[in-house]
Structures are given as structure tokens and as C-alpha cells.
């Protein structure tokens, strides 16, 4: 086994923490909006059937699963050659606003199939641009800091910003559409304005975060191990997937954490997609208050999860957050018999747990990268983050797919802009089940792979060293 050189752990500067966290303004926004509004935009504005809408949404996300590991491997090569992953992040920052606006620029009156195809192609391009930023972004913590607790600090700051972003986009996006309609505009125009405002925010946030690498790397090339460059610059797509599979096979801690996170992403994606339907069809209100009750507690308790992680360990804190979320979600099944504003209380508890479900696994991910570098040699942080992003994307996407299937099976009635429909009781039950019982069951299922996660504080702090350190101080040719 090849061991990297030991060196003193680095301490994060406040400016580095801030600039890294700012990226979550954009990642939180793009991670929230498609799941929240894209499905309802297709079914309630464009008149696309739930089954057709779910298929279009899922295909675009499957593309993410295909492209993310490739982006991760290519960003590893960029790091090895230039000392930075910044080029990918800037390309994503510029491309995402353009394609996101196009996603919500469907001309009124198009046939159902044409509307679905327009959204599919535009969103596929937007998702690709987002991955160009997101994959290197997730890889950075393993390279910015070495300490077990400092990683928790970095990711806790990110989650505070993420929670604010989800609140702003989740509540503000639908309110912006409503304001445009109230001012005499159409729903089509409302969604287009929403996308344009969101795209501008994505651009600014991503460009700010793209500068965080400069102060850490200084622009000098970073040596890469044989695990990251063995196939040379002409490696094809299949080679990158081979590396992703090798990462899964070669790191049991990473594998356990990834499976846990993907199952939980499926549960969260399902609840996120169902929020707009719960607000409209069960509560008869807008979605803003529902998002306030979910995200406001997350803002308050995120530092508390960091404290619990320091005292009990990240893995125990993560398990606690998972159980808390599952119990809160399961209680929402009572909406079938007792619809009312009482649901905001369990949603707030789920929001408190959600803060831990976001910050803790992302703080554990660089620990698995460091463990892999110690055991197998460095150079795979981008590959790890690429597979991770693909798994998260797949989980959230198939959460929306599950909801679309539930809606189709239970008889949900789609509408176009300006129309209303009385939903059958079976559809209401389906919406509530998709918001409560199914996510709760998935969250409890995720505890099985989490129980197999082996890393503890002593494993990480045994050797504090950079993720890119070379064995025996060697230097690449």
C-alpha cells in the first residue's frame, strides 16, 4: 500500500469558506426549481399528461447520470495538468442561464408531444451545464482542507447558504410567476421571467465560487497519481466509466455513503416534487409557507448538527437526522383524514433533519476521498464527485418519476394554463402518500447501507495531508 506524505492540516480562511458557500446559492436554486416547478409546469401549464411529463423529466436526468462521471474524470485530468478545475466551473456558469431560460420558453399552443420534447432538449442542455459546475464543486472540499472537523465547518456554511437558497427559490419562484400573472401577464410569461431571474443569480454565484480555487492552488499544476492518469489524455468515455466503477469497487466507505445518499435523494426528490401539489390540491394555498416551514428550521439547526457531529461523530449524527426525517414524513399520512395547517409542524421537524441530511454526508464525502488516497493513491476526487453527483441526480429525478407514476395511477387530471380541475379523491390520496409514506420508507431503508459506513474521526485525522500528495515526495515527469 502506498502512503502519501504526512503534513500539517490546513486551516480554512473565512474568505475561502464564504466564496465556496456562495456556490450553493446556484446549486440550491437549480436543485430546487426543476423538482418543484418543472413537473407542474408540464402538467398544469403546457397540458402534458403526468406519464409523458415524468418520462421527459426522467430522460433528462438519466443523461446526467451518463455525463457526470465523465465530467468528474476530465476535471481530475484538468487538475493534474493545470492545478485547477476552474475551467469546467466557468463553462457551466455561463451555459446554465441560457439553457435554463430556454427550458421555460415553450411557445403557447404547441402540441403535447412538441411541448414535452422542447422542455426535454432544453433541460438536458441546462443539466449538462450545471454538471460542469457541480461535479468539480463537490470535489473541492477534499482539496481545500484536510481536517475532519474543518470539513464539517466548510460544509455547514455551505448548507446554511443552501437552505437560504432553497427558501428563496422555492418560495420566491412560484410567487414571481403569480405576480406576473396578477399583473396581466400569462403563465407562460411568468415562468419565463422566473427562469431569467434565476439564471442571472446562477451566473453570478457560480462565477464567484469559481475563484475559490485560485487562492488555494495558486494556479500551479497538481501532481496526479497513476490511478488518475494511467490511460493518457486520449482516454475515451468507457475508460472514464471504468474509473468510476473502480472507485465504487475500491472504496467500501464511499460505496456505503453513496448508496445511503442516493436512496435519501430519492425520498427528498419525491417530497420536493410533491410540495406544489400538496399546497395546491390539499391546502389550497401557495407553496411559500410550506417552504418557510421546511427551510427556516434548517437555517437555525445547521450549526447544531455540526456540534453533534464533533461530539458523537458524523455517522451517528447522520443516522439521527435520517430517523428524525423519516418519522416526520410518516406522520404526514394523517393529511388523508385530517387536512389542515397542522402539517407545518412535522414539516418543520423534517426541515431540521434536512439540514443534517445535506451537511453531514457532504462532510463525509471528502473523508472517503482522503481514505481512498491513503489506501490506493491520490488523483480520484473528481471521479468520486462525478459518480456522487450522478447518483444524487438519479435519486432526485426518479423521485419525480415515482410521483408522476403515482399521479397517473391514481387518476390525476392535467390542465393547461387558465384551466382548473377537481381532482378525484384517489389522486389526493396519491399526492399525500407520495409526500409522506413512500419518502419515509425510503429514508428508513437508507439506514441499512449507512450501518456499513466504517470511517471514524481517528481514521481521518491519523494522517493530515493534501488529497493530491504524492507518495514519497515523488514528482511526475
Amino acid at each position: 500500500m502506498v502512503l502519501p506524505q504526512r503534513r500539517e492540516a490546513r486551516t480554512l480562511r473565512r474568505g475561502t469558506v464564504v466564496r465556496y458557500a456562495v456556490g450553493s446559492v446556484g446549486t440550491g436554486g437549480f436543485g430546487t426549481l426543476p423538482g418543484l416547478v418543472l413537473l407542474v409546469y408540464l402538467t398544469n401549464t403546457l397540458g402534458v399528461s403526468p406519464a409523458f411529463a415524468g418520462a421527459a423529466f426522467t430522460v433528462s436526468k438519466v443523461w446526467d447520470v451518463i455525463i457526470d462521471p465523465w465530467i468528474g474524470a476530465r476535471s481530475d485530468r484538468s487538475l493534474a495538468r493545470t492545478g485547477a478545475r476552474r475551467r469546467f466551473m466557468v463553462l457551466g456558469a455561463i451555459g446554465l442561464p441560457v439553457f435554463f431560460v430556454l427550458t421555460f420558453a415553450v411557445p403557447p399552443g404547441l402540441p403535447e408531444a412538441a411541448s414535452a420534447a422542447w422542455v426535454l432538449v432544453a433541460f438536458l442542455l441546462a443539466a449538462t451545464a450545471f454538471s460542469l459546475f457541480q461535479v468539480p464543486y463537490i470535489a473541492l472540499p477534499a482539496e481545500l482542507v484536510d481536517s475532519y472537523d474543518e470539513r464539517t465547518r466548510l460544509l455547514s456554511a455551505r448548507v446554511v447558504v443552501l437552505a437560504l437558497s432553497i427558501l428563496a427559490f422555492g418560495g420566491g419562484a412560484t410567487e414571481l410567476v403569480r405576480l406576473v400573472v396578477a399583473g396581466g401577464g400569462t403563465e407562460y410569461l411568468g415562468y419565463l421571467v422566473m427562469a431569467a431571474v434565476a439564471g442571472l443569480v446562477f451566473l453570478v454565484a457560480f462565477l464567484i465560487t469559481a475563484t475559490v480555487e485560485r487562492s488555494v492552488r495558486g494556479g500551479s499544476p497538481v501532481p496526479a497519481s497513476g490511478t488518475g492518469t494511467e490511460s493518457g489524455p486520449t482516454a475515451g468515455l468507457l475508460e472514464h466509466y471504468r474509473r468510476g466503477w473502480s472507485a465504487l469497487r475500491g472504496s467500501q466507505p464511499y460505496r456505503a455513503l453513496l448508496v445511503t445518499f442516493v436512496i435519501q435523494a430519492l425520498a427528498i426528490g419525491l417530497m420536493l416534487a410533491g410540495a406544489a401539489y400538496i399546497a395546491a390540491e390539499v391546502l389550497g394555498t401557495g407553496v411559500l409557507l410550506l417552504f418557510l416551514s421546511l427551510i427556516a428550521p434548517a437555517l437555525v439547526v445547521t450549526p447544531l448538527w455540526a456540534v453533534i457531529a464533533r461530539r458523537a461523530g458524523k455517522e451517528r449524527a447522520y443516522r439521527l437526522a435520517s430517523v428524525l426525517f423519516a418519522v416526520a414524513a410518516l406522520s404526514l399520512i394523517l393529511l388523508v383524514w385530517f387536512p389542515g395547517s397542522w402539517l407545518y409542524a412535522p414539516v418543520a421537524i423534517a426541515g431540521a433533519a434536512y439540514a443534517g441530511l445535506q451537511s453531514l454526508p457532504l462532510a463525509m464525502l471528502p473523508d472517503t476521498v482522503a481514505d481512498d488516497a491513503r489506501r490506493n493513491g491520490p488523483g480520484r476526487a473528481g471521479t468520486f464527485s462525478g459518480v456522487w453527483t450522478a447518483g444524487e441526480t438519479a435519486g432526485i429525478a426518479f423521485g419525480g418519476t415515482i410521483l408522476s407514476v403515482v399521479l397517473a395511477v391514481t387518476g390525476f387530471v392535467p390542465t393547461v394554463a387558465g384551466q382548473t380541475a377537481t381532482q378525484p379523491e384517489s389522486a389526493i390520496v396519491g399526492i399525500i402518500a407520495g409526500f409522506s409514506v413512500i419518502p419515509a420508507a425510503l429514508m428508513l431503508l437508507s439506514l441499512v447501507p449507512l450501518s456499513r459506513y466504517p470511517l471514524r474521526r481517528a481514521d481521518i485525522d491519523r494522517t493530515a495531508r493534501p488529497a493530491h500528495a504524492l507518495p514519497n515526495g515523488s514528482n511526475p515527469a
Side-chain angles (χ1 to χ4, degrees):
M1 178 178 66
V2 178
L3 293 177
Q5 284 184 307
R6 181 188 299 266
R7 66 166 252 185
E8 294 182 1
R10 289 163 289 182
T11 301
L12 285 170
R13 294 196 297 268
R14 180 176 298 177
T16 300
V17 174
V18 170
R19 280 184 292 156
Y20 182 78
V22 165
S24 283
V25 173
T27 62
F30 189 78
T32 300
L33 286 182
L36 177 66
V37 303
L38 193 56
L39 190 60
V40 75
Y41 171 67
L42 283 163
T43 60
N44 290 17
T45 299
L46 302 181
V48 178
S49 69
F52 208 173
F57 186 73
T58 302
V59 167
S60 65
K61 291 300 184 178
V62 169
W63 171 248
D64 279 345
V65 176
I66 295 172
I67 199 69
D68 286 349
W70 180 84
I71 292 173
R74 297 305 300 178
S75 72
D76 277 342
R77 296 183 185 281
S78 178
L79 181 68
R81 293 173 182 169
T82 69
R85 306 178 189 271
R86 191 167 48 249
R87 177 168 59 98
F88 290 85
M89 300 171 75
V90 172
L91 285 174
I94 295 172
L96 177 58
V98 175
F99 298 127
F100 191 69
V101 169
L102 285 176
T103 301
F104 293 92
V106 180
L110 284 184
E112 177 182 357
S115 295
W118 179 299
V119 171
L120 171 62
V121 173
F123 187 64
L124 186 150
L125 294 171
T128 302
F130 177 71
S131 292
L132 286 171
F133 177 87
Q134 170 82 337
V135 173
Y137 179 63
I138 291 179
L140 285 180
E143 296 151 3
L144 292 174
V145 66
D146 309 315
S147 166
Y148 182 89
D149 288 329
E150 283 287 276
R151 286 171 182 158
T152 305
R153 174 192 166 209
L154 177 65
L155 273 301
S156 294
R158 181 198 164 186
V159 169
V160 170
V161 176
L162 182 70
L164 285 170
S165 175
I166 293 172
L167 177 60
F169 281 96
T174 53
E175 287 301 304
L176 184 56
V177 175
R178 186 186 64 80
L179 287 174
V180 172
V181 173
T186 64
E187 280 189 28
Y188 296 95
L189 179 61
Y191 279 107
L192 186 60
V193 170
M194 175 212 70
V197 172
L200 180 61
V201 175
F202 297 159
L203 176 66
V204 174
F206 287 173
L207 289 180
I208 290 173
T209 297
T211 67
V212 76
E213 231 180 353
R214 188 187 305 275
S215 64
V216 177
R217 292 298 183 206
S220 59
V222 177
S225 74
T227 60
T229 60
E230 65 214 10
S231 54
T234 60
L237 188 61
L238 290 178
E239 172 63 20
H240 296 309
Y241 289 121
R242 188 195 67 78
R243 291 187 62 208
W245 174 251
S246 176
L248 281 172
R249 186 180 57 188
S251 175
Q252 192 274 331
Y254 174 69
R255 190 166 60 248
L257 184 63
L258 176 66
V259 172
T260 301
F261 192 71
V262 169
I263 295 173
Q264 294 187 353
L266 186 62
I268 292 170
L270 185 54
M271 291 192 73
L272 182 62
Y277 292 96
I278 287 287
E281 307 296 345
V282 178
L283 300 178
T285 64
V287 77
L288 179 59
L289 187 57
L290 192 59
F291 262 81
L292 278 171
S293 63
L294 177 69
I295 302 304
L299 292 172
V300 175
V301 304
T302 294
L304 177 61
W305 287 116
V307 172
I308 295 173
R310 283 197 299 270
R311 294 183 178 180
K314 298 176 191 177
E315 70 291 338
R316 290 180 179 174
Y318 191 20
R319 188 177 300 113
L320 175 62
S322 303
V323 172
L324 188 62
F325 189 96
V327 171
L330 184 60
S331 70
L332 292 170
I333 190 60
L334 294 175
L335 285 169
V336 173
W337 303 280
F338 309 105
S341 58
W342 65 267
L343 95 162
Y344 295 118
V347 167
I349 295 173
Y354 177 75
L357 298 181
Q358 289 296 301
S359 62
L360 295 168
L362 287 174
M364 294 159 74
L365 175 61
D367 293 341
T368 68
V369 174
D371 178 73
D372 178 71
R374 181 174 64 87
R375 294 176 182 275
N376 303 313
R380 299 202 295 186
T383 298
F384 273 48
S385 67
V387 176
W388 179 275
T389 304
E392 179 184 15
T393 299
I396 292 176
F398 285 108
T401 301
I402 291 174
L403 181 63
S404 69
V405 171
V406 171
L407 293 179
V409 169
T410 56
F412 181 87
V413 181
T415 59
V416 296
Q419 290 183 349
T420 58
T422 300
Q423 300 297 336
E425 184 177 350
S426 59
I428 301 300
V429 172
I431 290 170
I432 295 171
F435 194 69
S436 58
V437 176
I438 303 175
L442 289 168
M443 195 62 63
L444 292 174
L445 178 63
S446 73
L447 296 175
V448 176
L450 181 58
S451 68
R452 299 170 183 167
Y453 179 81
L455 295 182
R456 302 296 182 264
R457 180 192 304 274
D459 299 313
I460 303 307
D461 286 344
R462 184 179 299 124
T463 54
R465 80 304 179 256
H468 62 272
L470 281 179
N472 303 321
S474 60
N475 193 34

